[in-house]
Amino acid sequence: PPLPQADGMSEVGNGTLTTHVLNTASGLPAAGLVVRLARLQEPGMEWMELAQRYTDADGRCQPLLAPGQAKSGTYKLHFETAEYWQGLGHTSFYPFVEVVFIITDPAQKLHVPLLISPYSYTTYRGS
Protein backbone atom coordinates (compact mmCIF):
# COMPACT_ATOMS: atom_id res chain seq x y z
CA PRO A 1 0.00 0.00 0.00
CA PRO A 2 1.17 3.59 -0.62
CA LEU A 3 2.64 5.40 2.35
CA PRO A 4 0.61 8.27 3.79
CA GLN A 5 1.75 11.67 2.58
CA ALA A 6 2.71 13.47 5.76
CA ASP A 7 4.96 16.26 4.51
CA GLY A 8 4.69 18.91 1.80
CA MET A 9 7.54 17.38 -0.16
CA SER A 10 5.56 14.32 -1.18
CA GLU A 11 4.98 15.60 -4.73
CA VAL A 12 8.65 16.19 -5.50
CA GLY A 13 9.85 13.75 -8.12
CA ASN A 14 6.26 13.14 -9.21
CA GLY A 15 5.99 16.01 -11.69
CA THR A 16 3.35 18.73 -11.79
CA LEU A 17 2.75 21.69 -14.09
CA THR A 18 1.77 25.03 -12.60
CA THR A 19 1.51 28.62 -13.80
CA HIS A 20 0.65 32.05 -12.50
CA VAL A 21 -0.23 35.25 -14.32
CA LEU A 22 0.84 38.72 -13.19
CA ASN A 23 -0.51 42.00 -14.61
CA THR A 24 2.68 44.06 -14.84
CA ALA A 25 0.74 47.25 -15.68
CA SER A 26 -0.92 47.19 -12.24
CA GLY A 27 1.58 45.00 -10.40
CA LEU A 28 -1.30 42.76 -9.34
CA PRO A 29 -2.16 39.12 -10.03
CA ALA A 30 -4.35 38.56 -13.11
CA ALA A 31 -7.53 37.00 -11.72
CA GLY A 32 -10.27 35.27 -13.73
CA LEU A 33 -8.06 34.63 -16.76
CA VAL A 34 -8.75 31.45 -18.76
CA VAL A 35 -5.76 29.10 -19.14
CA ARG A 36 -5.82 25.99 -21.34
CA LEU A 37 -3.22 23.25 -21.62
CA ALA A 38 -2.77 21.13 -24.75
CA ARG A 39 -0.28 18.47 -25.85
CA LEU A 40 0.98 17.98 -29.40
CA GLN A 41 -0.13 14.60 -30.71
CA GLU A 42 2.23 12.66 -32.97
CA PRO A 43 1.77 11.92 -35.82
CA GLY A 44 -0.40 14.54 -37.46
CA MET A 45 0.76 17.42 -35.27
CA GLU A 46 -2.66 18.07 -33.74
CA TRP A 47 -3.12 19.72 -30.36
CA MET A 48 -5.19 17.81 -27.81
CA GLU A 49 -6.62 19.89 -24.97
CA LEU A 50 -5.89 18.38 -21.56
CA ALA A 51 -7.12 20.97 -19.07
CA GLN A 52 -8.83 24.33 -18.65
CA ARG A 53 -8.55 26.53 -15.58
CA TYR A 54 -9.36 30.04 -14.39
CA THR A 55 -6.79 31.98 -12.40
CA ASP A 56 -7.82 32.83 -8.86
CA ALA A 57 -7.40 36.11 -6.95
CA ASP A 58 -3.68 35.32 -6.62
CA GLY A 59 -3.28 34.78 -10.40
CA ARG A 60 -2.79 31.06 -9.83
CA CYS A 61 -4.82 27.94 -10.61
CA GLN A 62 -4.83 24.27 -9.71
CA PRO A 63 -1.97 22.33 -11.35
CA LEU A 64 -2.62 21.78 -15.05
CA LEU A 65 -0.97 18.38 -14.86
CA ALA A 66 -1.42 16.38 -11.69
CA PRO A 67 1.46 14.37 -10.21
CA GLY A 68 2.13 11.38 -12.43
CA GLN A 69 0.09 12.78 -15.34
CA ALA A 70 2.96 14.39 -17.29
CA LYS A 71 4.47 12.63 -20.29
CA SER A 72 7.46 13.63 -22.40
CA GLY A 73 6.41 15.80 -25.31
CA THR A 74 5.51 19.25 -26.59
CA TYR A 75 2.89 21.25 -24.72
CA LYS A 76 1.30 24.66 -24.95
CA LEU A 77 -0.33 26.93 -22.44
CA HIS A 78 -3.01 29.15 -24.05
CA PHE A 79 -3.89 32.28 -22.06
CA GLU A 80 -7.09 34.22 -22.99
CA THR A 81 -5.60 37.68 -22.46
CA ALA A 82 -8.05 39.73 -24.60
CA GLU A 83 -11.04 38.72 -22.44
CA TYR A 84 -9.04 39.59 -19.33
CA TRP A 85 -8.08 43.07 -20.60
CA GLN A 86 -11.62 43.74 -21.89
CA GLY A 87 -12.89 42.98 -18.40
CA LEU A 88 -10.63 45.76 -17.11
CA GLY A 89 -11.74 48.18 -19.83
CA HIS A 90 -8.50 47.92 -21.85
CA THR A 91 -7.77 46.81 -25.37
CA SER A 92 -4.90 44.39 -25.85
CA PHE A 93 -2.44 44.14 -28.71
CA TYR A 94 -2.29 40.37 -28.17
CA PRO A 95 -5.68 38.58 -28.41
CA PHE A 96 -4.18 35.59 -26.59
CA VAL A 97 -0.76 34.32 -25.57
CA GLU A 98 0.49 30.81 -26.30
CA VAL A 99 3.58 29.47 -24.60
CA VAL A 100 4.93 26.30 -26.22
CA PHE A 101 7.46 24.21 -24.31
CA ILE A 102 8.90 20.70 -24.15
CA ILE A 103 8.70 18.34 -21.18
CA THR A 104 11.75 16.08 -21.31
CA ASP A 105 11.61 14.77 -17.72
CA PRO A 106 8.00 14.02 -16.69
CA ALA A 107 9.09 13.54 -13.06
CA GLN A 108 10.26 17.15 -12.77
CA LYS A 109 8.06 19.90 -11.34
CA LEU A 110 7.50 22.63 -13.95
CA HIS A 111 6.33 26.19 -13.28
CA VAL A 112 5.66 28.42 -16.31
CA PRO A 113 4.66 31.95 -15.25
CA LEU A 114 3.31 34.66 -17.54
CA LEU A 115 3.76 38.41 -17.04
CA ILE A 116 1.33 40.51 -19.10
CA SER A 117 0.56 44.10 -19.99
CA PRO A 118 -1.64 45.33 -22.87
CA TYR A 119 1.40 45.65 -25.19
CA SER A 120 3.86 43.05 -23.96
CA TYR A 121 4.26 39.68 -22.32
CA THR A 122 7.11 37.71 -20.79
CA THR A 123 7.40 34.10 -19.76
CA TYR A 124 10.16 32.04 -18.21
CA ARG A 125 10.81 28.65 -16.74
CA GLY A 126 10.18 29.10 -13.05
CA SER A 127 10.81 26.81 -10.12
Short mmCIF file of all heavy atoms in Angstrom, two decimals, residues 55-92:
data_model
loop_
_atom_site.label_atom_id
_atom_site.label_comp_id
_atom_site.label_asym_id
_atom_site.label_seq_id
_atom_site.Cartn_x
_atom_site.Cartn_y
_atom_site.Cartn_z
N THR A 55 -7.67 31.53 -13.47
CA THR A 55 -6.79 31.98 -12.40
C THR A 55 -7.63 32.54 -11.25
O THR A 55 -8.70 33.13 -11.47
CB THR A 55 -5.80 33.06 -12.90
OG1 THR A 55 -6.52 34.16 -13.46
CG2 THR A 55 -4.84 32.48 -13.93
N ASP A 56 -7.13 32.34 -10.05
CA ASP A 56 -7.82 32.83 -8.86
C ASP A 56 -7.35 34.26 -8.52
O ASP A 56 -6.63 34.88 -9.31
CB ASP A 56 -7.61 31.85 -7.69
CG ASP A 56 -6.14 31.71 -7.28
OD1 ASP A 56 -5.30 32.55 -7.67
OD2 ASP A 56 -5.83 30.74 -6.57
N ALA A 57 -7.73 34.74 -7.35
CA ALA A 57 -7.40 36.11 -6.95
C ALA A 57 -5.89 36.33 -6.86
O ALA A 57 -5.41 37.46 -6.95
CB ALA A 57 -8.06 36.44 -5.61
N ASP A 58 -5.14 35.24 -6.71
CA ASP A 58 -3.68 35.32 -6.62
C ASP A 58 -3.02 35.10 -7.98
O ASP A 58 -1.80 34.98 -8.08
CB ASP A 58 -3.19 34.29 -5.60
CG ASP A 58 -1.78 34.57 -5.11
OD1 ASP A 58 -1.41 35.76 -5.03
OD2 ASP A 58 -1.04 33.62 -4.83
N GLY A 59 -3.83 35.00 -9.06
CA GLY A 59 -3.28 34.78 -10.40
C GLY A 59 -2.83 33.35 -10.63
O GLY A 59 -2.15 33.06 -11.60
N ARG A 60 -3.22 32.45 -9.73
CA ARG A 60 -2.79 31.06 -9.83
C ARG A 60 -4.00 30.16 -10.06
O ARG A 60 -5.14 30.58 -9.89
CB ARG A 60 -2.07 30.63 -8.54
CG ARG A 60 -0.81 31.42 -8.32
CD ARG A 60 -0.15 31.12 -6.99
NE ARG A 60 0.93 32.05 -6.74
CZ ARG A 60 2.18 31.87 -7.15
NH1 ARG A 60 2.51 30.77 -7.82
NH2 ARG A 60 3.10 32.76 -6.91
N CYS A 61 -3.74 28.92 -10.44
CA CYS A 61 -4.82 27.94 -10.61
C CYS A 61 -4.30 26.58 -10.16
O CYS A 61 -3.11 26.41 -9.92
CB CYS A 61 -5.30 27.91 -12.06
SG CYS A 61 -4.03 27.54 -13.29
N GLN A 62 -5.21 25.64 -10.06
CA GLN A 62 -4.83 24.27 -9.71
C GLN A 62 -3.83 23.77 -10.75
O GLN A 62 -3.85 24.20 -11.91
CB GLN A 62 -6.07 23.36 -9.74
CG GLN A 62 -7.04 23.61 -8.60
CD GLN A 62 -6.44 23.22 -7.25
OE1 GLN A 62 -5.93 22.11 -7.08
NE2 GLN A 62 -6.51 24.12 -6.29
N PRO A 63 -2.93 22.85 -10.37
CA PRO A 63 -1.97 22.33 -11.35
C PRO A 63 -2.66 21.85 -12.62
O PRO A 63 -3.72 21.25 -12.56
CB PRO A 63 -1.30 21.17 -10.60
CG PRO A 63 -1.40 21.55 -9.16
CD PRO A 63 -2.72 22.28 -9.03
N LEU A 64 -2.06 22.16 -13.76
CA LEU A 64 -2.62 21.78 -15.05
C LEU A 64 -2.32 20.32 -15.37
O LEU A 64 -3.04 19.70 -16.13
CB LEU A 64 -2.10 22.72 -16.14
CG LEU A 64 -2.72 24.12 -15.98
CD1 LEU A 64 -1.67 25.19 -16.12
CD2 LEU A 64 -3.84 24.32 -16.97
N LEU A 65 -1.25 19.82 -14.82
CA LEU A 65 -0.97 18.38 -14.86
C LEU A 65 -0.79 17.93 -13.42
O LEU A 65 0.00 18.52 -12.67
CB LEU A 65 0.31 18.09 -15.66
CG LEU A 65 0.24 18.23 -17.17
CD1 LEU A 65 1.63 18.05 -17.77
CD2 LEU A 65 -0.73 17.23 -17.78
N ALA A 66 -1.53 16.92 -13.03
CA ALA A 66 -1.42 16.38 -11.69
C ALA A 66 -0.16 15.52 -11.59
O ALA A 66 0.38 15.09 -12.61
CB ALA A 66 -2.66 15.55 -11.37
N PRO A 67 0.29 15.25 -10.36
CA PRO A 67 1.46 14.37 -10.21
C PRO A 67 1.23 13.05 -10.94
O PRO A 67 0.16 12.47 -10.84
CB PRO A 67 1.52 14.15 -8.69
CG PRO A 67 0.89 15.36 -8.11
CD PRO A 67 -0.18 15.78 -9.08
N GLY A 68 2.22 12.64 -11.71
CA GLY A 68 2.13 11.38 -12.43
C GLY A 68 1.43 11.47 -13.78
O GLY A 68 1.39 10.51 -14.53
N GLN A 69 0.86 12.63 -14.10
CA GLN A 69 0.09 12.78 -15.34
C GLN A 69 0.96 13.25 -16.51
O GLN A 69 0.59 13.06 -17.67
CB GLN A 69 -1.05 13.79 -15.11
CG GLN A 69 -2.18 13.69 -16.12
CD GLN A 69 -3.22 14.79 -15.92
OE1 GLN A 69 -3.14 15.61 -15.02
NE2 GLN A 69 -4.20 14.82 -16.81
N ALA A 70 2.10 13.86 -16.23
CA ALA A 70 2.96 14.39 -17.29
C ALA A 70 3.59 13.27 -18.11
O ALA A 70 3.92 12.21 -17.57
CB ALA A 70 4.05 15.27 -16.69
N LYS A 71 3.73 13.52 -19.41
CA LYS A 71 4.47 12.63 -20.29
C LYS A 71 5.48 13.50 -21.05
O LYS A 71 5.26 14.68 -21.21
CB LYS A 71 3.54 11.97 -21.32
CG LYS A 71 2.49 11.07 -20.73
CD LYS A 71 1.57 10.53 -21.83
CE LYS A 71 0.42 9.74 -21.25
NZ LYS A 71 -0.72 9.68 -22.15
N SER A 72 6.53 12.88 -21.55
CA SER A 72 7.46 13.63 -22.40
C SER A 72 6.71 14.10 -23.63
O SER A 72 5.84 13.40 -24.15
CB SER A 72 8.64 12.74 -22.83
OG SER A 72 9.36 12.32 -21.70
N GLY A 73 7.05 15.30 -24.10
CA GLY A 73 6.41 15.80 -25.31
C GLY A 73 6.34 17.31 -25.35
O GLY A 73 6.90 18.00 -24.49
N THR A 74 5.66 17.82 -26.36
CA THR A 74 5.51 19.25 -26.59
C THR A 74 4.13 19.68 -26.11
O THR A 74 3.12 19.06 -26.46
CB THR A 74 5.69 19.58 -28.08
OG1 THR A 74 6.97 19.11 -28.51
CG2 THR A 74 5.59 21.08 -28.34
N TYR A 75 4.11 20.74 -25.33
CA TYR A 75 2.89 21.25 -24.72
C TYR A 75 2.73 22.72 -25.04
O TYR A 75 3.70 23.40 -25.37
CB TYR A 75 2.94 21.09 -23.19
CG TYR A 75 2.89 19.66 -22.72
CD1 TYR A 75 4.01 18.84 -22.76
CD2 TYR A 75 1.71 19.12 -22.22
CE1 TYR A 75 3.96 17.53 -22.31
CE2 TYR A 75 1.65 17.81 -21.76
CZ TYR A 75 2.77 17.02 -21.82
OH TYR A 75 2.72 15.73 -21.38
N LYS A 76 1.48 23.21 -24.88
CA LYS A 76 1.30 24.66 -24.95
C LYS A 76 0.28 25.11 -23.91
O LYS A 76 -0.71 24.43 -23.66
CB LYS A 76 0.89 25.14 -26.35
CG LYS A 76 -0.56 24.90 -26.74
CD LYS A 76 -0.85 25.56 -28.10
CE LYS A 76 -2.22 25.11 -28.62
NZ LYS A 76 -2.49 25.61 -29.97
N LEU A 77 0.59 26.23 -23.31
CA LEU A 77 -0.33 26.93 -22.44
C LEU A 77 -0.94 28.06 -23.26
O LEU A 77 -0.21 28.85 -23.87
CB LEU A 77 0.38 27.49 -21.21
CG LEU A 77 0.75 26.48 -20.13
CD1 LEU A 77 1.68 27.11 -19.11
CD2 LEU A 77 -0.51 25.96 -19.45
N HIS A 78 -2.28 28.12 -23.29
CA HIS A 78 -3.01 29.15 -24.05
C HIS A 78 -3.69 30.04 -23.01
O HIS A 78 -4.50 29.56 -22.22
CB HIS A 78 -4.03 28.47 -24.97
CG HIS A 78 -4.91 29.43 -25.70
ND1 HIS A 78 -4.69 29.76 -27.03
CD2 HIS A 78 -6.02 30.12 -25.31
CE1 HIS A 78 -5.64 30.62 -27.41
NE2 HIS A 78 -6.45 30.84 -26.38
N PHE A 79 -3.35 31.32 -23.02
CA PHE A 79 -3.89 32.28 -22.06
C PHE A 79 -4.83 33.24 -22.80
O PHE A 79 -4.41 33.89 -23.77
CB PHE A 79 -2.77 33.09 -21.41
CG PHE A 79 -1.78 32.26 -20.62
CD1 PHE A 79 -0.67 31.71 -21.24
CD2 PHE A 79 -1.94 32.07 -19.26
CE1 PHE A 79 0.26 30.96 -20.51
CE2 PHE A 79 -1.02 31.33 -18.52
CZ PHE A 79 0.08 30.78 -19.16
N GLU A 80 -6.09 33.34 -22.36
CA GLU A 80 -7.09 34.22 -22.99
C GLU A 80 -6.93 35.65 -22.47
O GLU A 80 -7.69 36.11 -21.63
CB GLU A 80 -8.50 33.70 -22.72
CG GLU A 80 -8.83 32.41 -23.43
CD GLU A 80 -9.05 32.58 -24.93
OE1 GLU A 80 -9.14 33.73 -25.41
OE2 GLU A 80 -9.13 31.56 -25.62
N THR A 81 -5.92 36.35 -23.00
CA THR A 81 -5.60 37.68 -22.46
C THR A 81 -6.57 38.77 -22.91
O THR A 81 -6.82 39.70 -22.15
CB THR A 81 -4.16 38.07 -22.86
OG1 THR A 81 -4.00 37.90 -24.27
CG2 THR A 81 -3.14 37.20 -22.14
N ALA A 82 -7.14 38.68 -24.12
CA ALA A 82 -8.05 39.73 -24.60
C ALA A 82 -9.27 39.86 -23.70
O ALA A 82 -9.64 40.97 -23.31
CB ALA A 82 -8.47 39.47 -26.04
N GLU A 83 -9.87 38.71 -23.34
CA GLU A 83 -11.04 38.72 -22.44
C GLU A 83 -10.68 39.37 -21.11
O GLU A 83 -11.46 40.14 -20.55
CB GLU A 83 -11.51 37.29 -22.15
CG GLU A 83 -12.27 36.63 -23.27
CD GLU A 83 -12.62 35.17 -22.92
OE1 GLU A 83 -12.50 34.78 -21.73
OE2 GLU A 83 -13.01 34.43 -23.84
N TYR A 84 -9.49 39.04 -20.61
CA TYR A 84 -9.04 39.59 -19.33
C TYR A 84 -8.94 41.11 -19.41
O TYR A 84 -9.46 41.83 -18.57
CB TYR A 84 -7.70 38.97 -18.94
CG TYR A 84 -7.04 39.68 -17.77
CD1 TYR A 84 -7.49 39.47 -16.47
CD2 TYR A 84 -5.99 40.57 -17.98
CE1 TYR A 84 -6.91 40.13 -15.41
CE2 TYR A 84 -5.40 41.23 -16.91
CZ TYR A 84 -5.87 41.01 -15.63
OH TYR A 84 -5.28 41.67 -14.58
N TRP A 85 -8.26 41.61 -20.47
CA TRP A 85 -8.08 43.07 -20.60
C TRP A 85 -9.41 43.77 -20.84
O TRP A 85 -9.65 44.85 -20.32
CB TRP A 85 -7.07 43.39 -21.70
CG TRP A 85 -5.67 43.00 -21.34
CD1 TRP A 85 -4.90 42.06 -21.95
CD2 TRP A 85 -4.88 43.52 -20.27
NE1 TRP A 85 -3.69 41.96 -21.32
CE2 TRP A 85 -3.64 42.85 -20.29
CE3 TRP A 85 -5.10 44.49 -19.28
CZ2 TRP A 85 -2.63 43.12 -19.38
CZ3 TRP A 85 -4.09 44.76 -18.37
CH2 TRP A 85 -2.87 44.08 -18.41
N GLN A 86 -10.29 43.15 -21.65
CA GLN A 86 -11.62 43.74 -21.89
C GLN A 86 -12.37 43.91 -20.57
O GLN A 86 -13.04 44.92 -20.36
CB GLN A 86 -12.43 42.88 -22.85
CG GLN A 86 -12.02 43.03 -24.31
CD GLN A 86 -12.58 41.93 -25.21
OE1 GLN A 86 -13.43 41.14 -24.77
NE2 GLN A 86 -12.10 41.88 -26.44
N GLY A 87 -12.24 42.92 -19.71
CA GLY A 87 -12.89 42.98 -18.40
C GLY A 87 -12.41 44.14 -17.56
O GLY A 87 -13.11 44.61 -16.66
N LEU A 88 -11.19 44.61 -17.84
CA LEU A 88 -10.63 45.76 -17.11
C LEU A 88 -10.82 47.05 -17.89
O LEU A 88 -10.32 48.10 -17.48
CB LEU A 88 -9.12 45.53 -16.85
CG LEU A 88 -8.76 44.37 -15.93
CD1 LEU A 88 -7.24 44.25 -15.83
CD2 LEU A 88 -9.36 44.56 -14.55
N GLY A 89 -11.51 46.98 -19.03
CA GLY A 89 -11.74 48.18 -19.83
C GLY A 89 -10.57 48.58 -20.71
O GLY A 89 -10.47 49.73 -21.13
N HIS A 90 -9.67 47.66 -20.99
CA HIS A 90 -8.50 47.92 -21.85
C HIS A 90 -8.63 47.13 -23.15
O HIS A 90 -9.25 46.08 -23.18
CB HIS A 90 -7.20 47.48 -21.17
CG HIS A 90 -6.85 48.23 -19.94
ND1 HIS A 90 -6.41 49.52 -19.94
CD2 HIS A 90 -6.89 47.83 -18.64
CE1 HIS A 90 -6.18 49.91 -18.69
NE2 HIS A 90 -6.48 48.90 -17.88
N THR A 91 -7.97 47.64 -24.19
CA THR A 91 -7.77 46.81 -25.37
C THR A 91 -6.38 46.19 -25.23
O THR A 91 -5.54 46.70 -24.50
CB THR A 91 -7.85 47.62 -26.67
OG1 THR A 91 -6.93 48.71 -26.57
CG2 THR A 91 -9.25 48.15 -26.91
N SER A 92 -6.17 45.10 -25.93
CA SER A 92 -4.90 44.39 -25.85
C SER A 92 -4.36 44.17 -27.25
O SER A 92 -5.11 43.80 -28.16
CB SER A 92 -5.09 43.05 -25.15
OG SER A 92 -3.93 42.27 -25.26
#
